Amino acid sequence: MKLKSATLLDVARQAGVSRATVARVLSAGGYVGDETRLRVEEAVRQTGYRPNAMARSLRTQRTFTIGHTTSEFTQNPFFAHVARSIEREGLANGYKTFLYNQDGSDAHERAGVEQFIERRVDAVIFTYPRDPQSLAMLRAAAMPVVQIERDLTPDTSAVLVDNYTGAAAGMAHLLQLGHRRIAFIGGDPRLNPRSCRRPRSVEEERLDAYRDALSSVGVGIDERLIWLGRYYEPDNGINIAGYRAMRTLLELPERPTAIFTGCDILAAGALQATYEVGLRIPDDISVVGFDDTTARILAPRLTSVAQPMAELGKTALQLALAQIDDPEIAPQTVILSPQLVIRDSTGPVPRLAPTRRG
Amino acid sequence: MKLKSATLLDVARQAGVSRATVARVLSAGGYVGDETRLRVEEAVRQTGYRPNAMARSLRTQRTFTIGHTTSEFTQNPFFAHVARSIEREGLANGYKTFLYNQDGSDAHERAGVEQFIERRVDAVIFTYPRDPQSLAMLRAAAMPVVQIERDLTPDTSAVLVDNYTGAAAGMAHLLQLGHRRIAFIGGDPRLNPRSCRRPRSVEEERLDAYRDALSSVGVGIDERLIWLGRYYEPDNGINIAGYRAMRTLLELPERPTAIFTGCDILAAGALQATYEVGLRIPDDISVVGFDDTTARILAPRLTSVAQPMAELGKTALQLALAQIDDPEIAPQTVILSPQLVIRDSTGPVPRLAPTRRG
DNA sequence: TTGTAGGCGTTATCAG
DNA sequence: CTGATAACGCCTACAA
């Protein structure tokens, strides 16, 4: 800013009143004479006055900003959607969001949190928190915190997802279509932290729902049908994991008739492998995704367990506001449910028992 | 913030020195006695002092923030990647980014810009600018501005893309594979503004490259093979446009052997339509995308003209910094080139002339 | 109804 | 080498 913008004083001089009067006009509170008000409003227009949020924050001890630390939103649209929802709900309440991609690193996350503290954001939202130390820093600063989808500590508000129910709905759908030989491609519970409010981690819930569903119809678990790993391959960009897993499954002597995946990105890889070997979906094999992020743009359109992404963000922001308005309020936990969206990637089990291709 | 955090004064008292001395220690400039410095550092630690960015900004007239207005980044990963690049490059230079999704509305865009002005960001980056009035507001405030990919006014720095060359590379690839009956699915030039630095708009460049490529090998333009529209369907979420266009093309008496699309999202829709009718890619038909965003997760992996997303963001931030450092500097224009990435969706033209299916 | 004055937490300029 | 002290722009009692 070379030419510094007008201040309250400039406006006051222009209108021939004091700064206090201008402030009163702008804050729309307090008594101001009609004629004076008009003069001030005219002066505001003429000077092109814009309040200085910095000065205001310094004075009021409120910045009307929210810090949001997210996992890499370029890797998974899930994070972009949640971030968007937080941004939107924040704006609706007068808040601007600082978005910070923690980049899969504890150190980055901490750096982001330090930024937030120095900039005195009114609250911090995590999708996901990584490092308990980040949370500890915020606790020390007595700042409101909300954790989304994964909770590392019990002392903040959190919005979680009932992944078990979601996965169960997906599995029920496959079972109902007659599938019994169903594979699982998903995140490895051992690579992801446990929840401290729910009995199981996100990954455990999804995997358990898979196991339980099969057991409920008397099908034993075939460990060869279960692939656990990372959602993304860090080195080669997106999508190698699901592809590799699916290739392996398709090589089995008796291949599965359906695949339940723990993420749309993994499902996308599975679709690629299936396409490559020339099998048709859902004619030869059915696939269910999770998250409902890229599901709509894949071929065929993917049946997927939809995360409540908009609600996740919106609720998190509401919980943050509640804490801001009353710092003494007890942390709350909200649990949302995913919902199965049926599209074109699931169909009845093939009538002829599938044989090894080739 | 209930319990207000320690200030310079608190640290000073703790260390038994003045605020000025503490400030000197923290700014790592000026002379401070070794013993004093140690005492101050210890006091900083004990009090858990964090500088207040608001107070600092007020004093220094610099916020070390950048405002970034973007098109809906949940609709197209292109925007998420550019935003991420700006964020990353900003952080590397000590800047935090305010991200603002303008949501396809001029009014929202202006609201975002007003936010940026009130929060006194040091510069504003647009991916894309929509409303000339937004730019005018920033001009009035004498704030540095950078426009990415589309430029509405000539008076700011800009980072543009040579779309013609990119599209030409894609077309050359198809021609070289023997394709002559090539369709075009892309953005309608009439729906998008012109550039004020380049002779043609983004959409015109891509379309002209298509036409020119065909002309260069003596193939006349078949207008039935050209579909122009919006990149996304606003109502039903993503991806209806490319799907519909492709369905129409596949109904033609003599269908195309290859499709050149103006966007990966459109290409994804084309793949869905192709899949649905049971044709194979690239055996029956080849498809080229644009942007290289979702290309890697589609089946088959999409050949696509890659936008230099990371460079776009990085360069924009550098141009912004240049303006911040020297407000008198003349606006610069940088033009980057896309690059064709060949994957599995393009292959030789089928030997037998394709006939109408069914 | 309007004006005065003090302070929010820094930085920067002067003295000492 | 260190300490006062004056802004930065705004809000808000309190006084007039």
Side-chain angles (χ1 to χ4, degrees):
Chain A
M1 290 161 287
K2 36 193 173 196
L3 135 183
K4 43 192 283 192
S5 49
T7 74
L8 226 36
L9 184 58
D10 298 321
V11 179
R13 275 206 268 259
Q14 175 86 10
V17 296
S18 73
R19 291 178 305 174
T21 303
V22 179
R24 270 189 288 266
V25 171
L26 292 173
S27 68
Y31 307 95
V32 184
D34 283 350
E35 195 261 349
T36 315
R37 160 166 286 119
L38 285 174
R39 256 203 350 268
V40 169
E41 283 169 348
E42 177 58 24
V44 166
R45 227 166 291 126
Q46 282 186 9
T47 53
Y49 171 78
R50 302 274 182 186
N52 183 324
M54 238 66 52
R56 175 180 293 162
S57 300
L58 189 58
R59 182 60 235 255
T60 59
Q61 303 290 52
R62 291 278 249 104
T63 58
F64 285 97
T65 53
I66 300 278
H68 178 207
T69 301
T70 180
S71 290
E72 191 63 40
F73 68 38
T74 52
Q75 277 188 332
N76 192 336
F78 171 80
F79 300 113
H81 279 94
V82 173
R84 182 68 181 100
S85 172
I86 292 175
E87 183 198 357
R88 180 178 285 125
E89 189 70 7
L91 287 172
N93 289 277
Y95 283 78
K96 192 81 204 70
T97 316
F98 272 120
L99 190 53
Y100 186 93
N101 282 273
Q102 40 81 320
D103 221 357
S105 138
D106 288 2
H108 281 205
E109 186 187 76
R110 288 197 303 272
V113 168
E114 281 178 16
Q115 281 267 355
F116 292 158
I117 295 178
E118 298 199 353
R119 295 187 185 275
R120 301 291 193 271
V121 299
D122 295 329
V124 175
I125 299 176
F126 286 91
T127 322
Y128 316 135
R130 288 185 59 86
D131 184 358
Q133 208 187 316
S134 301
L135 293 160
M137 287 163 58
L138 292 166
R139 197 179 310 121
M143 291 166 70
V145 169
V146 182
Q147 304 177 69
I148 293 184
E149 243 255 294
R150 296 179 195 251
D151 59 328
L152 240 47
T153 63
D155 58 349
T156 80
S157 285
V159 192
L160 305 178
V161 174
D162 181 357
N163 282 282
Y164 185 89
T165 302
M171 285 299 292
H173 174 57
L174 289 176
L175 290 175
Q176 196 211 326
L177 289 166
H179 295 278
R180 288 299 179 271
R181 191 153 176 77
I182 304 174
F184 183 91
I185 300 179
D188 190 335
R190 288 165 302 184
L191 298 174
N192 294 284
R194 309 194 55 126
S195 167
C196 58
R197 285 164 230 235
R198 292 180 67 75
R200 292 168 293 199
S201 72
V202 168
E203 281 66 32
E204 283 166 346
E205 287 193 7
R206 295 180 190 175
L207 185 53
D208 282 0
Y210 163 81
R211 291 183 197 272
D212 292 353
L214 288 178
S215 302
S216 75
V217 292
V219 175
I221 304 297
D222 182 345
E223 294 294 337
R224 288 171 308 167
L225 295 186
I226 298 181
W227 181 95
L228 301 174
R230 296 183 198 285
Y231 291 106
Y232 332 106
E233 286 298 330
D235 45 307
N236 196 2
I238 252 157
N239 220 30
I240 310 301
Y243 171 78
R244 293 251 172 83
M246 190 66 170
R247 286 300 304 238
T248 306
L249 288 171
L250 293 175
E251 301 290 343
L252 287 176
E254 196 186 349
R255 67 167 141 78
T257 67
I259 318 286
F260 184 81
T261 67
C263 176
D264 276 6
I265 314 274
L266 291 173
L271 260 43
Q272 290 177 327
T274 310
Y275 194 83
E276 198 167 273
V277 302
L279 291 171
R280 289 285 298 183
I281 295 172
D283 313 76
D284 299 311
I285 200 160
S286 287
V287 177
V288 174
F290 209 107
D291 287 351
D292 196 24
T293 50
T294 62
R296 279 171 304 185
I297 72 162
L298 299 177
R301 291 172 186 86
L302 195 66
T303 294
S304 188
V305 180
Q307 291 265 31
M309 299 179 285
E311 273 68 39
L312 243 23
K314 179 170 179 166
T315 309
L317 195 106
Q318 294 295 353
L319 293 182
L321 290 184
Q323 294 272 344
I324 293 171
D325 289 346
D326 177 6
E328 303 305 324
I329 210 174
Q332 296 178 66
T333 303
V334 175
I335 297 181
L336 302 175
S337 293
Q339 191 152 10
L340 180 66
V341 178
I342 297 173
R343 298 202 185 82
D344 309 330
S345 68
T346 45
V349 65
R351 247 182 308 157
L352 295 174
T355 53
R356 184 169 191 174
R357 80 197 165 78
Chain B
M1 286 162 290
K2 35 193 175 193
L3 134 183
K4 42 193 283 192
S5 49
T7 74
L8 227 35
L9 184 58
D10 297 322
V11 179
R13 276 205 266 260
Q14 176 86 9
V17 296
S18 73
R19 288 178 307 172
T21 302
V22 179
R24 270 189 287 267
V25 170
L26 291 173
S27 67
Y31 308 95
V32 183
D34 282 351
E35 195 262 350
T36 314
R37 158 165 289 122
L38 285 174
R39 257 205 346 269
V40 169
E41 285 169 347
E42 177 57 23
V44 165
R45 226 166 292 128
Q46 283 186 9
T47 54
Y49 170 77
R50 301 273 183 188
N52 182 323
M54 237 65 53
R56 175 180 291 162
S57 298
L58 188 59
R59 182 60 234 247
T60 59
Q61 304 288 55
R62 293 277 251 103
T63 58
F64 286 96
T65 53
I66 300 278
H68 179 206
T69 302
T70 180
S71 291
E72 192 62 40
F73 67 39
T74 51
Q75 278 189 330
N76 192 335
F78 171 80
F79 300 113
H81 278 95
V82 172
R84 183 68 180 99
S85 171
I86 291 173
E87 184 198 357
R88 181 178 284 126
E89 189 70 9
L91 286 173
N93 289 278
Y95 283 79
K96 193 82 205 70
T97 314
F98 272 120
L99 190 53
Y100 187 91
N101 282 273
Q102 38 83 317
D103 222 356
S105 138
D106 288 3
H108 280 204
E109 186 188 76
R110 286 197 304 272
V113 167
E114 280 177 17
Q115 281 267 355
F116 291 160
I117 295 177
E118 298 198 354
R119 294 185 186 276
R120 301 291 194 269
V121 300
D122 295 330
V124 175
I125 298 176
F126 285 92
T127 318
Y128 315 136
R130 287 184 60 87
D131 184 357
Q133 207 186 318
S134 300
L135 292 160
M137 287 163 59
L138 293 166
R139 197 179 310 121
M143 290 167 70
V145 170
V146 181
Q147 303 178 69
I148 292 183
E149 241 252 295
R150 297 179 195 250
D151 58 329
L152 241 46
T153 63
D155 57 348
T156 80
S157 285
V159 192
L160 306 177
V161 174
D162 181 356
N163 283 281
Y164 185 89
T165 302
M171 284 299 293
H173 173 57
L174 288 175
L175 291 175
Q176 196 211 327
L177 289 166
H179 296 279
R180 289 300 179 270
R181 191 153 177 78
I182 304 174
F184 182 91
I185 300 178
D188 190 333
R190 288 165 303 184
L191 298 175
N192 293 284
R194 311 194 52 126
S195 168
C196 58
R197 284 162 231 236
R198 293 181 64 77
R200 292 169 293 199
S201 72
V202 169
E203 282 66 31
E204 285 167 345
E205 287 193 7
R206 295 180 191 175
L207 186 53
D208 283 1
Y210 164 80
R211 291 184 196 273
D212 292 353
L214 289 178
S215 302
S216 76
V217 292
V219 175
I221 303 298
D222 183 344
E223 293 296 335
R224 289 171 307 168
L225 295 186
I226 298 182
W227 180 95
L228 301 175
R230 295 183 199 284
Y231 291 106
Y232 332 106
E233 286 299 330
D235 44 306
N236 196 2
I238 251 157
N239 220 29
I240 310 299
Y243 171 78
R244 294 253 171 83
M246 190 66 169
R247 284 303 303 241
T248 306
L249 289 171
L250 292 176
E251 301 290 343
L252 288 176
E254 194 187 350
R255 68 167 140 78
T257 66
I259 319 286
F260 185 81
T261 67
C263 176
D264 276 6
I265 313 275
L266 292 171
L271 295 192
Q272 290 178 326
T274 310
Y275 194 84
E276 199 167 272
V277 302
L279 292 171
R280 290 285 297 182
I281 294 173
D283 313 74
D284 300 310
I285 202 160
S286 288
V287 177
V288 174
F290 210 106
D291 288 352
D292 196 23
T293 49
T294 61
R296 279 169 304 185
I297 72 162
L298 299 176
R301 291 171 187 89
L302 193 67
T303 294
S304 187
V305 179
Q307 291 266 30
M309 300 179 285
E311 273 68 39
L312 242 24
K314 180 170 179 167
T315 308
L317 195 106
Q318 294 295 353
L319 293 182
L321 290 184
Q323 296 270 346
I324 292 170
D325 289 346
D326 177 7
E328 303 304 325
I329 209 174
Q332 297 178 65
T333 303
V334 175
I335 296 179
L336 302 175
S337 293
Q339 191 152 10
L340 180 67
V341 178
I342 297 173
R343 297 202 184 81
D344 309 332
S345 69
T346 45
V349 65
R351 250 182 306 158
L352 295 173
T355 53
R356 186 168 189 171
R357 80 198 166 77

